[in-house]
Each structure stands twice: as structure tokens, then as C-alpha cells.
Amino acid sequence: MCCKCNNIFYNAIKISLIVILIFILIAIIFIVNNNQENKNILTAIAKDGDNPEVGNATIKFSENRIVEGTAISHEEGSDEIQINESGIYQISYQLFGERETIGTFNFNAVILVNNEVLLDDTINESPILRDNVANRMTLTSTIFLRLQEGDIVKLGGLSIEDIIYTRARIDIEKIA
């Protein structure tokens, strides 16, 4: 075989290997992109002054920190979180309550669905504190709920005392 034929042969092999490597890279990129699911996450924050109600209240969130996907939506300043896709959702929250006067201190947090369904199995109760103590506390919880498209989720604070809910956070993720 002549040198010219050898060069053509080796160049053809080089080009073939480059084409194969390009196809492998394209396949890897395609597989990685298809394996990444679209995330549906909402993180909403309530700040001091968002919830001036005392005692029983549904918590208004003035800031959306994270909004990914379209399965969950929330209008800033509202207490309603809209579920736009049926599925299983993980809901985590923190609710800070305080009372400016000394006396019995107790409050609860609860998840409400569609304004009328108080989910008893989501009630998170603070201990009852009595007299001469700093009356402030944060309740936290994580729950999983099966929700339907069109459901409205709210975080509620419940108390017969004069509790003010000065801060709160809710994180919701569609997991299935």
C-alpha cells in the first residue's frame, strides 16, 4: 500500500472516530436532559406586619422567594396558595407567634384546604405556657398531602390568646 493510500485510510478512521465521539456526546446530553424532571417548588415568606390579626388567622405571605414550575402558584400578599396540578405535595412550614402581654400562651398551626377543610392530622400544637415567661415560639412541621388541581392551601394560626403571627415561611414541592 502506498503512503498516499495509508494517509487517506488513517484520515478516514480519524474522521469516523470524531463522528462517533460527537454522536456519543449528543446522546449523553440528550439522556441527561430527559432525566431531569421539571421541578415545581414554591417558597413564600410572611414578614412582620403582614398578619396584624390576633388569635385565629390565615397567614398572608408578602414575598415569593422561589417559584419554579407551574404546579403551584401564589399571589404575593395573599393567604391562598393555588394547586394547578393534581399530585402528592410535600409542605413544610415555620410559624412564629408571640404575645406582648404576660399570661397564658398557646397557639397551634394547621393546614387548611379549600377554606373549609381543617385537616386535623396537620394540627401542630405549642405547649401551654403560663405567667412570667417570654411568650414567643416557632412551630415547624413537614407533611405530605395528595392535592387536586384547583385546591387552595392555607396555613392557619389558631389561638384563643392574643397571639400575633409576626413571621412565617411555607415551602411546597410537588413530589409525584
mmCIF file with all atom_site columns, all heavy atoms in Angstrom, residues 88-93 110-113 119 121-124 140-146 153-154 171-173 175:
data_model
loop_
_atom_site.group_PDB
_atom_site.id
_atom_site.type_symbol
_atom_site.label_atom_id
_atom_site.label_alt_id
_atom_site.label_comp_id
_atom_site.label_asym_id
_atom_site.label_entity_id
_atom_site.label_seq_id
_atom_site.pdbx_PDB_ins_code
_atom_site.Cartn_x
_atom_site.Cartn_y
_atom_site.Cartn_z
_atom_site.occupancy
_atom_site.B_iso_or_equiv
_atom_site.pdbx_formal_charge
_atom_site.auth_seq_id
_atom_site.auth_comp_id
_atom_site.auth_asym_id
_atom_site.auth_atom_id
_atom_site.pdbx_PDB_model_num
ATOM 1   N N   . ILE A 1 88  ? -49.003 14.520 44.633 1.00 0.00 ? 88  ILE A N   1
ATOM 2   C CA  . ILE A 1 88  ? -48.593 14.451 46.032 1.00 0.00 ? 88  ILE A CA  1
ATOM 3   C C   . ILE A 1 88  ? -47.616 15.596 46.281 1.00 0.00 ? 88  ILE A C   1
ATOM 4   O O   . ILE A 1 88  ? -46.665 15.788 45.518 1.00 0.00 ? 88  ILE A O   1
ATOM 5   C CB  . ILE A 1 88  ? -47.946 13.095 46.357 1.00 0.00 ? 88  ILE A CB  1
ATOM 6   C CG1 . ILE A 1 88  ? -48.987 11.976 46.144 1.00 0.00 ? 88  ILE A CG1 1
ATOM 7   C CG2 . ILE A 1 88  ? -47.420 13.067 47.799 1.00 0.00 ? 88  ILE A CG2 1
ATOM 8   C CD1 . ILE A 1 88  ? -48.431 10.582 46.256 1.00 0.00 ? 88  ILE A CD1 1
ATOM 9   N N   . TYR A 1 89  ? -47.858 16.331 47.362 1.00 0.00 ? 89  TYR A N   1
ATOM 10  C CA  . TYR A 1 89  ? -47.080 17.525 47.686 1.00 0.00 ? 89  TYR A CA  1
ATOM 11  C C   . TYR A 1 89  ? -46.469 17.400 49.075 1.00 0.00 ? 89  TYR A C   1
ATOM 12  O O   . TYR A 1 89  ? -47.116 16.909 49.996 1.00 0.00 ? 89  TYR A O   1
ATOM 13  C CB  . TYR A 1 89  ? -47.965 18.777 47.637 1.00 0.00 ? 89  TYR A CB  1
ATOM 14  C CG  . TYR A 1 89  ? -48.387 19.143 46.232 1.00 0.00 ? 89  TYR A CG  1
ATOM 15  C CD1 . TYR A 1 89  ? -49.416 18.482 45.594 1.00 0.00 ? 89  TYR A CD1 1
ATOM 16  C CD2 . TYR A 1 89  ? -47.717 20.158 45.555 1.00 0.00 ? 89  TYR A CD2 1
ATOM 17  C CE1 . TYR A 1 89  ? -49.791 18.818 44.297 1.00 0.00 ? 89  TYR A CE1 1
ATOM 18  C CE2 . TYR A 1 89  ? -48.087 20.504 44.262 1.00 0.00 ? 89  TYR A CE2 1
ATOM 19  C CZ  . TYR A 1 89  ? -49.117 19.830 43.642 1.00 0.00 ? 89  TYR A CZ  1
ATOM 20  O OH  . TYR A 1 89  ? -49.470 20.160 42.356 1.00 0.00 ? 89  TYR A OH  1
ATOM 21  N N   . GLN A 1 90  ? -45.237 17.852 49.187 1.00 0.00 ? 90  GLN A N   1
ATOM 22  C CA  . GLN A 1 90  ? -44.584 17.978 50.492 1.00 0.00 ? 90  GLN A CA  1
ATOM 23  C C   . GLN A 1 90  ? -44.711 19.428 50.912 1.00 0.00 ? 90  GLN A C   1
ATOM 24  O O   . GLN A 1 90  ? -44.343 20.333 50.160 1.00 0.00 ? 90  GLN A O   1
ATOM 25  C CB  . GLN A 1 90  ? -43.117 17.589 50.406 1.00 0.00 ? 90  GLN A CB  1
ATOM 26  C CG  . GLN A 1 90  ? -42.385 17.771 51.726 1.00 0.00 ? 90  GLN A CG  1
ATOM 27  C CD  . GLN A 1 90  ? -40.941 17.340 51.645 1.00 0.00 ? 90  GLN A CD  1
ATOM 28  O OE1 . GLN A 1 90  ? -40.625 16.321 51.064 1.00 0.00 ? 90  GLN A OE1 1
ATOM 29  N NE2 . GLN A 1 90  ? -40.062 18.136 52.240 1.00 0.00 ? 90  GLN A NE2 1
ATOM 30  N N   . ILE A 1 91  ? -45.243 19.654 52.109 1.00 0.00 ? 91  ILE A N   1
ATOM 31  C CA  . ILE A 1 91  ? -45.453 21.003 52.631 1.00 0.00 ? 91  ILE A CA  1
ATOM 32  C C   . ILE A 1 91  ? -44.682 21.118 53.946 1.00 0.00 ? 91  ILE A C   1
ATOM 33  O O   . ILE A 1 91  ? -44.903 20.331 54.866 1.00 0.00 ? 91  ILE A O   1
ATOM 34  C CB  . ILE A 1 91  ? -46.945 21.292 52.865 1.00 0.00 ? 91  ILE A CB  1
ATOM 35  C CG1 . ILE A 1 91  ? -47.731 21.120 51.563 1.00 0.00 ? 91  ILE A CG1 1
ATOM 36  C CG2 . ILE A 1 91  ? -47.139 22.690 53.462 1.00 0.00 ? 91  ILE A CG2 1
ATOM 37  C CD1 . ILE A 1 91  ? -49.233 21.195 51.727 1.00 0.00 ? 91  ILE A CD1 1
ATOM 38  N N   . SER A 1 92  ? -43.787 22.091 54.011 1.00 0.00 ? 92  SER A N   1
ATOM 39  C CA  . SER A 1 92  ? -43.051 22.386 55.239 1.00 0.00 ? 92  SER A CA  1
ATOM 40  C C   . SER A 1 92  ? -43.335 23.835 55.606 1.00 0.00 ? 92  SER A C   1
ATOM 41  O O   . SER A 1 92  ? -43.427 24.686 54.723 1.00 0.00 ? 92  SER A O   1
ATOM 42  C CB  . SER A 1 92  ? -41.540 22.203 55.039 1.00 0.00 ? 92  SER A CB  1
ATOM 43  O OG  . SER A 1 92  ? -41.256 20.877 54.680 1.00 0.00 ? 92  SER A OG  1
ATOM 44  N N   . TYR A 1 93  ? -43.468 24.099 56.901 1.00 0.00 ? 93  TYR A N   1
ATOM 45  C CA  . TYR A 1 93  ? -43.720 25.486 57.300 1.00 0.00 ? 93  TYR A CA  1
ATOM 46  C C   . TYR A 1 93  ? -43.070 25.788 58.634 1.00 0.00 ? 93  TYR A C   1
ATOM 47  O O   . TYR A 1 93  ? -42.736 24.891 59.410 1.00 0.00 ? 93  TYR A O   1
ATOM 48  C CB  . TYR A 1 93  ? -45.220 25.792 57.364 1.00 0.00 ? 93  TYR A CB  1
ATOM 49  C CG  . TYR A 1 93  ? -45.971 25.005 58.417 1.00 0.00 ? 93  TYR A CG  1
ATOM 50  C CD1 . TYR A 1 93  ? -45.973 25.422 59.746 1.00 0.00 ? 93  TYR A CD1 1
ATOM 51  C CD2 . TYR A 1 93  ? -46.656 23.857 58.088 1.00 0.00 ? 93  TYR A CD2 1
ATOM 52  C CE1 . TYR A 1 93  ? -46.646 24.707 60.716 1.00 0.00 ? 93  TYR A CE1 1
ATOM 53  C CE2 . TYR A 1 93  ? -47.331 23.127 59.046 1.00 0.00 ? 93  TYR A CE2 1
ATOM 54  C CZ  . TYR A 1 93  ? -47.318 23.556 60.350 1.00 0.00 ? 93  TYR A CZ  1
ATOM 55  O OH  . TYR A 1 93  ? -47.973 22.839 61.323 1.00 0.00 ? 93  TYR A OH  1
ATOM 56  N N   . VAL A 1 110 ? -52.024 24.919 61.527 1.00 0.00 ? 110 VAL A N   1
ATOM 57  C CA  . VAL A 1 110 ? -52.784 23.894 60.813 1.00 0.00 ? 110 VAL A CA  1
ATOM 58  C C   . VAL A 1 110 ? -52.786 24.219 59.324 1.00 0.00 ? 110 VAL A C   1
ATOM 59  O O   . VAL A 1 110 ? -52.705 25.386 58.935 1.00 0.00 ? 110 VAL A O   1
ATOM 60  C CB  . VAL A 1 110 ? -54.232 23.805 61.368 1.00 0.00 ? 110 VAL A CB  1
ATOM 61  C CG1 . VAL A 1 110 ? -55.020 25.067 61.056 1.00 0.00 ? 110 VAL A CG1 1
ATOM 62  C CG2 . VAL A 1 110 ? -54.948 22.565 60.868 1.00 0.00 ? 110 VAL A CG2 1
ATOM 63  N N   . ILE A 1 111 ? -52.864 23.190 58.508 1.00 0.00 ? 111 ILE A N   1
ATOM 64  C CA  . ILE A 1 111 ? -53.021 23.362 57.063 1.00 0.00 ? 111 ILE A CA  1
ATOM 65  C C   . ILE A 1 111 ? -54.503 23.246 56.745 1.00 0.00 ? 111 ILE A C   1
ATOM 66  O O   . ILE A 1 111 ? -55.180 22.323 57.199 1.00 0.00 ? 111 ILE A O   1
ATOM 67  C CB  . ILE A 1 111 ? -52.221 22.291 56.285 1.00 0.00 ? 111 ILE A CB  1
ATOM 68  C CG1 . ILE A 1 111 ? -50.726 22.427 56.562 1.00 0.00 ? 111 ILE A CG1 1
ATOM 69  C CG2 . ILE A 1 111 ? -52.515 22.374 54.788 1.00 0.00 ? 111 ILE A CG2 1
ATOM 70  C CD1 . ILE A 1 111 ? -50.082 23.695 56.060 1.00 0.00 ? 111 ILE A CD1 1
ATOM 71  N N   . LEU A 1 112 ? -54.999 24.201 55.965 1.00 0.00 ? 112 LEU A N   1
ATOM 72  C CA  . LEU A 1 112 ? -56.387 24.186 55.509 1.00 0.00 ? 112 LEU A CA  1
ATOM 73  C C   . LEU A 1 112 ? -56.398 23.979 53.996 1.00 0.00 ? 112 LEU A C   1
ATOM 74  O O   . LEU A 1 112 ? -55.544 24.516 53.291 1.00 0.00 ? 112 LEU A O   1
ATOM 75  C CB  . LEU A 1 112 ? -57.080 25.509 55.833 1.00 0.00 ? 112 LEU A CB  1
ATOM 76  C CG  . LEU A 1 112 ? -57.197 25.830 57.314 1.00 0.00 ? 112 LEU A CG  1
ATOM 77  C CD1 . LEU A 1 112 ? -56.204 26.899 57.682 1.00 0.00 ? 112 LEU A CD1 1
ATOM 78  C CD2 . LEU A 1 112 ? -58.593 26.259 57.632 1.00 0.00 ? 112 LEU A CD2 1
ATOM 79  N N   . VAL A 1 113 ? -57.373 23.223 53.518 1.00 0.00 ? 113 VAL A N   1
ATOM 80  C CA  . VAL A 1 113 ? -57.539 23.012 52.084 1.00 0.00 ? 113 VAL A CA  1
ATOM 81  C C   . VAL A 1 113 ? -58.943 23.455 51.714 1.00 0.00 ? 113 VAL A C   1
ATOM 82  O O   . VAL A 1 113 ? -59.922 23.052 52.338 1.00 0.00 ? 113 VAL A O   1
ATOM 83  C CB  . VAL A 1 113 ? -57.310 21.531 51.689 1.00 0.00 ? 113 VAL A CB  1
ATOM 84  C CG1 . VAL A 1 113 ? -57.570 21.322 50.203 1.00 0.00 ? 113 VAL A CG1 1
ATOM 85  C CG2 . VAL A 1 113 ? -55.892 21.105 52.049 1.00 0.00 ? 113 VAL A CG2 1
ATOM 86  N N   . LEU A 1 119 ? -57.616 20.250 58.353 1.00 0.00 ? 119 LEU A N   1
ATOM 87  C CA  . LEU A 1 119 ? -57.006 18.925 58.359 1.00 0.00 ? 119 LEU A CA  1
ATOM 88  C C   . LEU A 1 119 ? -56.484 18.612 59.754 1.00 0.00 ? 119 LEU A C   1
ATOM 89  O O   . LEU A 1 119 ? -55.398 19.019 60.142 1.00 0.00 ? 119 LEU A O   1
ATOM 90  C CB  . LEU A 1 119 ? -55.892 18.859 57.318 1.00 0.00 ? 119 LEU A CB  1
ATOM 91  C CG  . LEU A 1 119 ? -56.346 19.132 55.882 1.00 0.00 ? 119 LEU A CG  1
ATOM 92  C CD1 . LEU A 1 119 ? -55.165 19.100 54.931 1.00 0.00 ? 119 LEU A CD1 1
ATOM 93  C CD2 . LEU A 1 119 ? -57.410 18.138 55.449 1.00 0.00 ? 119 LEU A CD2 1
ATOM 94  N N   . ASP A 1 121 ? -55.248 16.090 61.093 1.00 0.00 ? 121 ASP A N   1
ATOM 95  C CA  . ASP A 1 121 ? -53.968 15.404 61.212 1.00 0.00 ? 121 ASP A CA  1
ATOM 96  C C   . ASP A 1 121 ? -52.779 16.308 60.887 1.00 0.00 ? 121 ASP A C   1
ATOM 97  O O   . ASP A 1 121 ? -51.633 15.874 60.932 1.00 0.00 ? 121 ASP A O   1
ATOM 98  C CB  . ASP A 1 121 ? -53.934 14.142 60.342 1.00 0.00 ? 121 ASP A CB  1
ATOM 99  C CG  . ASP A 1 121 ? -54.168 14.425 58.876 1.00 0.00 ? 121 ASP A CG  1
ATOM 100 O OD1 . ASP A 1 121 ? -54.666 15.506 58.521 1.00 0.00 ? 121 ASP A OD1 1
ATOM 101 O OD2 . ASP A 1 121 ? -53.844 13.540 58.055 1.00 0.00 ? 121 ASP A OD2 1
ATOM 102 N N   . THR A 1 122 ? -53.032 17.587 60.596 1.00 0.00 ? 122 THR A N   1
ATOM 103 C CA  . THR A 1 122 ? -51.933 18.534 60.364 1.00 0.00 ? 122 THR A CA  1
ATOM 104 C C   . THR A 1 122 ? -51.782 19.535 61.506 1.00 0.00 ? 122 THR A C   1
ATOM 105 O O   . THR A 1 122 ? -50.928 20.407 61.442 1.00 0.00 ? 122 THR A O   1
ATOM 106 C CB  . THR A 1 122 ? -52.135 19.312 59.045 1.00 0.00 ? 122 THR A CB  1
ATOM 107 O OG1 . THR A 1 122 ? -53.231 20.222 59.184 1.00 0.00 ? 122 THR A OG1 1
ATOM 108 C CG2 . THR A 1 122 ? -52.372 18.379 57.878 1.00 0.00 ? 122 THR A CG2 1
ATOM 109 N N   . ILE A 1 123 ? -52.601 19.417 62.546 1.00 0.00 ? 123 ILE A N   1
ATOM 110 C CA  . ILE A 1 123 ? -52.515 20.370 63.658 1.00 0.00 ? 123 ILE A CA  1
ATOM 111 C C   . ILE A 1 123 ? -51.195 20.174 64.397 1.00 0.00 ? 123 ILE A C   1
ATOM 112 O O   . ILE A 1 123 ? -50.807 19.064 64.747 1.00 0.00 ? 123 ILE A O   1
ATOM 113 C CB  . ILE A 1 123 ? -53.700 20.222 64.626 1.00 0.00 ? 123 ILE A CB  1
ATOM 114 C CG1 . ILE A 1 123 ? -54.989 20.670 63.938 1.00 0.00 ? 123 ILE A CG1 1
ATOM 115 C CG2 . ILE A 1 123 ? -53.483 21.038 65.889 1.00 0.00 ? 123 ILE A CG2 1
ATOM 116 C CD1 . ILE A 1 123 ? -56.235 20.534 64.780 1.00 0.00 ? 123 ILE A CD1 1
ATOM 117 N N   . ASN A 1 124 ? -50.513 21.278 64.621 1.00 0.00 ? 124 ASN A N   1
ATOM 118 C CA  . ASN A 1 124 ? -49.232 21.310 65.309 1.00 0.00 ? 124 ASN A CA  1
ATOM 119 C C   . ASN A 1 124 ? -49.425 22.225 66.522 1.00 0.00 ? 124 ASN A C   1
ATOM 120 O O   . ASN A 1 124 ? -49.638 23.418 66.359 1.00 0.00 ? 124 ASN A O   1
ATOM 121 C CB  . ASN A 1 124 ? -48.168 21.852 64.353 1.00 0.00 ? 124 ASN A CB  1
ATOM 122 C CG  . ASN A 1 124 ? -46.787 21.821 64.930 1.00 0.00 ? 124 ASN A CG  1
ATOM 123 O OD1 . ASN A 1 124 ? -46.562 21.388 66.048 1.00 0.00 ? 124 ASN A OD1 1
ATOM 124 N ND2 . ASN A 1 124 ? -45.832 22.306 64.150 1.00 0.00 ? 124 ASN A ND2 1
ATOM 125 N N   . THR A 1 140 ? -42.927 24.322 63.738 1.00 0.00 ? 140 THR A N   1
ATOM 126 C CA  . THR A 1 140 ? -42.492 23.840 62.428 1.00 0.00 ? 140 THR A CA  1
ATOM 127 C C   . THR A 1 140 ? -43.078 22.463 62.185 1.00 0.00 ? 140 THR A C   1
ATOM 128 O O   . THR A 1 140 ? -43.332 21.705 63.135 1.00 0.00 ? 140 THR A O   1
ATOM 129 C CB  . THR A 1 140 ? -40.959 23.751 62.328 1.00 0.00 ? 140 THR A CB  1
ATOM 130 O OG1 . THR A 1 140 ? -40.495 22.802 63.277 1.00 0.00 ? 140 THR A OG1 1
ATOM 131 C CG2 . THR A 1 140 ? -40.305 25.092 62.593 1.00 0.00 ? 140 THR A CG2 1
ATOM 132 N N   . SER A 1 141 ? -43.284 22.142 60.925 1.00 0.00 ? 141 SER A N   1
ATOM 133 C CA  . SER A 1 141 ? -43.791 20.825 60.579 1.00 0.00 ? 141 SER A CA  1
ATOM 134 C C   . SER A 1 141 ? -43.570 20.565 59.095 1.00 0.00 ? 141 SER A C   1
ATOM 135 O O   . SER A 1 141 ? -43.443 21.505 58.305 1.00 0.00 ? 141 SER A O   1
ATOM 136 C CB  . SER A 1 141 ? -45.291 20.733 60.894 1.00 0.00 ? 141 SER A CB  1
ATOM 137 O OG  . SER A 1 141 ? -45.741 19.406 60.693 1.00 0.00 ? 141 SER A OG  1
ATOM 138 N N   . THR A 1 142 ? -43.524 19.296 58.748 1.00 0.00 ? 142 THR A N   1
ATOM 139 C CA  . THR A 1 142 ? -43.493 18.851 57.352 1.00 0.00 ? 142 THR A CA  1
ATOM 140 C C   . THR A 1 142 ? -44.541 17.770 57.197 1.00 0.00 ? 142 THR A C   1
ATOM 141 O O   . THR A 1 142 ? -44.598 16.836 57.996 1.00 0.00 ? 142 THR A O   1
ATOM 142 C CB  . THR A 1 142 ? -42.108 18.299 56.970 1.00 0.00 ? 142 THR A CB  1
ATOM 143 O OG1 . THR A 1 142 ? -41.142 19.342 57.109 1.00 0.00 ? 142 THR A OG1 1
ATOM 144 C CG2 . THR A 1 142 ? -42.091 17.787 55.536 1.00 0.00 ? 142 THR A CG2 1
ATOM 145 N N   . ILE A 1 143 ? -45.370 17.913 56.172 1.00 0.00 ? 143 ILE A N   1
ATOM 146 C CA  . ILE A 1 143 ? -46.424 16.926 55.910 1.00 0.00 ? 143 ILE A CA  1
ATOM 147 C C   . ILE A 1 143 ? -46.462 16.625 54.408 1.00 0.00 ? 143 ILE A C   1
ATOM 148 O O   . ILE A 1 143 ? -45.932 17.379 53.596 1.00 0.00 ? 143 ILE A O   1
ATOM 149 C CB  . ILE A 1 143 ? -47.810 17.410 56.385 1.00 0.00 ? 143 ILE A CB  1
ATOM 150 C CG1 . ILE A 1 143 ? -48.193 18.712 55.670 1.00 0.00 ? 143 ILE A CG1 1
ATOM 151 C CG2 . ILE A 1 143 ? -47.846 17.581 57.876 1.00 0.00 ? 143 ILE A CG2 1
ATOM 152 C CD1 . ILE A 1 143 ? -49.609 19.124 55.893 1.00 0.00 ? 143 ILE A CD1 1
ATOM 153 N N   . PHE A 1 144 ? -47.113 15.529 54.075 1.00 0.00 ? 144 PHE A N   1
ATOM 154 C CA  . PHE A 1 144 ? -47.336 15.150 52.685 1.00 0.00 ? 144 PHE A CA  1
ATOM 155 C C   . PHE A 1 144 ? -48.845 15.076 52.478 1.00 0.00 ? 144 PHE A C   1
ATOM 156 O O   . PHE A 1 144 ? -49.554 14.472 53.289 1.00 0.00 ? 144 PHE A O   1
ATOM 157 C CB  . PHE A 1 144 ? -46.705 13.785 52.378 1.00 0.00 ? 144 PHE A CB  1
ATOM 158 C CG  . PHE A 1 144 ? -45.215 13.785 52.538 1.00 0.00 ? 144 PHE A CG  1
ATOM 159 C CD1 . PHE A 1 144 ? -44.624 13.505 53.758 1.00 0.00 ? 144 PHE A CD1 1
ATOM 160 C CD2 . PHE A 1 144 ? -44.396 14.080 51.459 1.00 0.00 ? 144 PHE A CD2 1
ATOM 161 C CE1 . PHE A 1 144 ? -43.256 13.517 53.917 1.00 0.00 ? 144 PHE A CE1 1
ATOM 162 C CE2 . PHE A 1 144 ? -43.013 14.091 51.602 1.00 0.00 ? 144 PHE A CE2 1
ATOM 163 C CZ  . PHE A 1 144 ? -42.442 13.808 52.831 1.00 0.00 ? 144 PHE A CZ  1
ATOM 164 N N   . LEU A 1 145 ? -49.321 15.689 51.411 1.00 0.00 ? 145 LEU A N   1
ATOM 165 C CA  . LEU A 1 145 ? -50.753 15.670 51.103 1.00 0.00 ? 145 LEU A CA  1
ATOM 166 C C   . LEU A 1 145 ? -50.978 15.333 49.634 1.00 0.00 ? 145 LEU A C   1
ATOM 167 O O   . LEU A 1 145 ? -50.215 15.779 48.778 1.00 0.00 ? 145 LEU A O   1
ATOM 168 C CB  . LEU A 1 145 ? -51.390 17.039 51.375 1.00 0.00 ? 145 LEU A CB  1
ATOM 169 C CG  . LEU A 1 145 ? -51.481 17.512 52.814 1.00 0.00 ? 145 LEU A CG  1
ATOM 170 C CD1 . LEU A 1 145 ? -52.051 18.924 52.863 1.00 0.00 ? 145 LEU A CD1 1
ATOM 171 C CD2 . LEU A 1 145 ? -52.329 16.562 53.643 1.00 0.00 ? 145 LEU A CD2 1
ATOM 172 N N   . ARG A 1 146 ? -52.049 14.589 49.373 1.00 0.00 ? 146 ARG A N   1
ATOM 173 C CA  . ARG A 1 146 ? -52.493 14.380 47.998 1.00 0.00 ? 146 ARG A CA  1
ATOM 174 C C   . ARG A 1 146 ? -53.481 15.509 47.701 1.00 0.00 ? 146 ARG A C   1
ATOM 175 O O   . ARG A 1 146 ? -54.505 15.631 48.369 1.00 0.00 ? 146 ARG A O   1
ATOM 176 C CB  . ARG A 1 146 ? -53.164 13.029 47.828 1.00 0.00 ? 146 ARG A CB  1
ATOM 177 C CG  . ARG A 1 146 ? -53.601 12.762 46.384 1.00 0.00 ? 146 ARG A CG  1
ATOM 178 C CD  . ARG A 1 146 ? -54.228 11.391 46.218 1.00 0.00 ? 146 ARG A CD  1
ATOM 179 N NE  . ARG A 1 146 ? -53.360 10.315 46.657 1.00 0.00 ? 146 ARG A NE  1
ATOM 180 C CZ  . ARG A 1 146 ? -52.380 9.771  45.927 1.00 0.00 ? 146 ARG A CZ  1
ATOM 181 N NH1 . ARG A 1 146 ? -52.148 10.241 44.721 1.00 0.00 ? 146 ARG A NH1 1
ATOM 182 N NH2 . ARG A 1 146 ? -51.650 8.788  46.407 1.00 0.00 ? 146 ARG A NH2 1
ATOM 183 N N   . VAL A 1 153 ? -54.610 25.948 49.259 1.00 0.00 ? 153 VAL A N   1
ATOM 184 C CA  . VAL A 1 153 ? -53.952 25.586 50.513 1.00 0.00 ? 153 VAL A CA  1
ATOM 185 C C   . VAL A 1 153 ? -53.676 26.868 51.296 1.00 0.00 ? 153 VAL A C   1
ATOM 186 O O   . VAL A 1 153 ? -53.262 27.874 50.720 1.00 0.00 ? 153 VAL A O   1
ATOM 187 C CB  . VAL A 1 153 ? -52.632 24.832 50.240 1.00 0.00 ? 153 VAL A CB  1
ATOM 188 C CG1 . VAL A 1 153 ? -51.874 24.569 51.531 1.00 0.00 ? 153 VAL A CG1 1
ATOM 189 C CG2 . VAL A 1 153 ? -52.901 23.533 49.498 1.00 0.00 ? 153 VAL A CG2 1
ATOM 190 N N   . LYS A 1 154 ? -53.915 26.806 52.616 1.00 0.00 ? 154 LYS A N   1
ATOM 191 C CA  . LYS A 1 154 ? -53.619 27.931 53.507 1.00 0.00 ? 154 LYS A CA  1
ATOM 192 C C   . LYS A 1 154 ? -52.934 27.404 54.760 1.00 0.00 ? 154 LYS A C   1
ATOM 193 O O   . LYS A 1 154 ? -53.179 26.277 55.179 1.00 0.00 ? 154 LYS A O   1
ATOM 194 C CB  . LYS A 1 154 ? -54.896 28.665 53.924 1.00 0.00 ? 154 LYS A CB  1
ATOM 195 C CG  . LYS A 1 154 ? -55.617 29.368 52.793 1.00 0.00 ? 154 LYS A CG  1
ATOM 196 C CD  . LYS A 1 154 ? -56.823 30.115 53.317 1.00 0.00 ? 154 LYS A CD  1
ATOM 197 C CE  . LYS A 1 154 ? -57.531 30.851 52.197 1.00 0.00 ? 154 LYS A CE  1
ATOM 198 N NZ  . LYS A 1 154 ? -58.601 31.712 52.727 1.00 0.00 ? 154 LYS A NZ  1
ATOM 199 N N   . ASP A 1 171 ? -42.904 26.161 52.438 1.00 0.00 ? 171 ASP A N   1
ATOM 200 C CA  . ASP A 1 171 ? -42.219 25.568 51.295 1.00 0.00 ? 171 ASP A CA  1
ATOM 201 C C   . ASP A 1 171 ? -43.074 24.412 50.795 1.00 0.00 ? 171 ASP A C   1
ATOM 202 O O   . ASP A 1 171 ? -43.385 23.514 51.575 1.00 0.00 ? 171 ASP A O   1
ATOM 203 C CB  . ASP A 1 171 ? -40.838 25.041 51.693 1.00 0.00 ? 171 ASP A CB  1
ATOM 204 C CG  . ASP A 1 171 ? -39.940 26.121 52.267 1.00 0.00 ? 171 ASP A CG  1
ATOM 205 O OD1 . ASP A 1 171 ? -39.462 26.938 51.471 1.00 0.00 ? 171 ASP A OD1 1
ATOM 206 O OD2 . ASP A 1 171 ? -39.733 26.141 53.494 1.00 0.00 ? 171 ASP A OD2 1
ATOM 207 N N   . ILE A 1 172 ? -43.450 24.469 49.531 1.00 0.00 ? 172 ILE A N   1
ATOM 208 C CA  . ILE A 1 172 ? -44.293 23.413 48.953 1.00 0.00 ? 172 ILE A CA  1
ATOM 209 C C   . ILE A 1 172 ? -43.596 22.887 47.707 1.00 0.00 ? 172 ILE A C   1
ATOM 210 O O   . ILE A 1 172 ? -43.166 23.663 46.847 1.00 0.00 ? 172 ILE A O   1
ATOM 211 C CB  . ILE A 1 172 ? -45.695 23.932 48.595 1.00 0.00 ? 172 ILE A CB  1
ATOM 212 C CG1 . ILE A 1 172 ? -46.373 24.521 49.852 1.00 0.00 ? 172 ILE A CG1 1
ATOM 213 C CG2 . ILE A 1 172 ? -46.537 22.833 47.985 1.00 0.00 ? 172 ILE A CG2 1
ATOM 214 C CD1 . ILE A 1 172 ? -47.733 25.130 49.580 1.00 0.00 ? 172 ILE A CD1 1
ATOM 215 N N   . GLU A 1 173 ? -43.519 21.560 47.611 1.00 0.00 ? 173 GLU A N   1
ATOM 216 C CA  . GLU A 1 173 ? -42.925 20.927 46.433 1.00 0.00 ? 173 GLU A CA  1
ATOM 217 C C   . GLU A 1 173 ? -43.815 19.787 45.967 1.00 0.00 ? 173 GLU A C   1
ATOM 218 O O   . GLU A 1 173 ? -44.239 18.955 46.775 1.00 0.00 ? 173 GLU A O   1
ATOM 219 C CB  . GLU A 1 173 ? -41.528 20.401 46.735 1.00 0.00 ? 173 GLU A CB  1
ATOM 220 C CG  . GLU A 1 173 ? -40.881 19.743 45.547 1.00 0.00 ? 173 GLU A CG  1
ATOM 221 C CD  . GLU A 1 173 ? -39.476 19.225 45.817 1.00 0.00 ? 173 GLU A CD  1
ATOM 222 O OE1 . GLU A 1 173 ? -38.996 19.335 46.958 1.00 0.00 ? 173 GLU A OE1 1
ATOM 223 O OE2 . GLU A 1 173 ? -38.848 18.737 44.864 1.00 0.00 ? 173 GLU A OE2 1
ATOM 224 N N   . ILE A 1 175 ? -44.025 16.366 44.597 1.00 0.00 ? 175 ILE A N   1
ATOM 225 C CA  . ILE A 1 175 ? -43.041 15.282 44.554 1.00 0.00 ? 175 ILE A CA  1
ATOM 226 C C   . ILE A 1 175 ? -43.491 14.114 43.689 1.00 0.00 ? 175 ILE A C   1
ATOM 227 O O   . ILE A 1 175 ? -42.678 13.254 43.349 1.00 0.00 ? 175 ILE A O   1
ATOM 228 C CB  . ILE A 1 175 ? -42.668 14.809 45.963 1.00 0.00 ? 175 ILE A CB  1
ATOM 229 C CG1 . ILE A 1 175 ? -43.897 14.305 46.725 1.00 0.00 ? 175 ILE A CG1 1
ATOM 230 C CG2 . ILE A 1 175 ? -41.982 15.926 46.735 1.00 0.00 ? 175 ILE A CG2 1
ATOM 231 C CD1 . ILE A 1 175 ? -43.553 13.630 48.035 1.00 0.00 ? 175 ILE A CD1 1
#
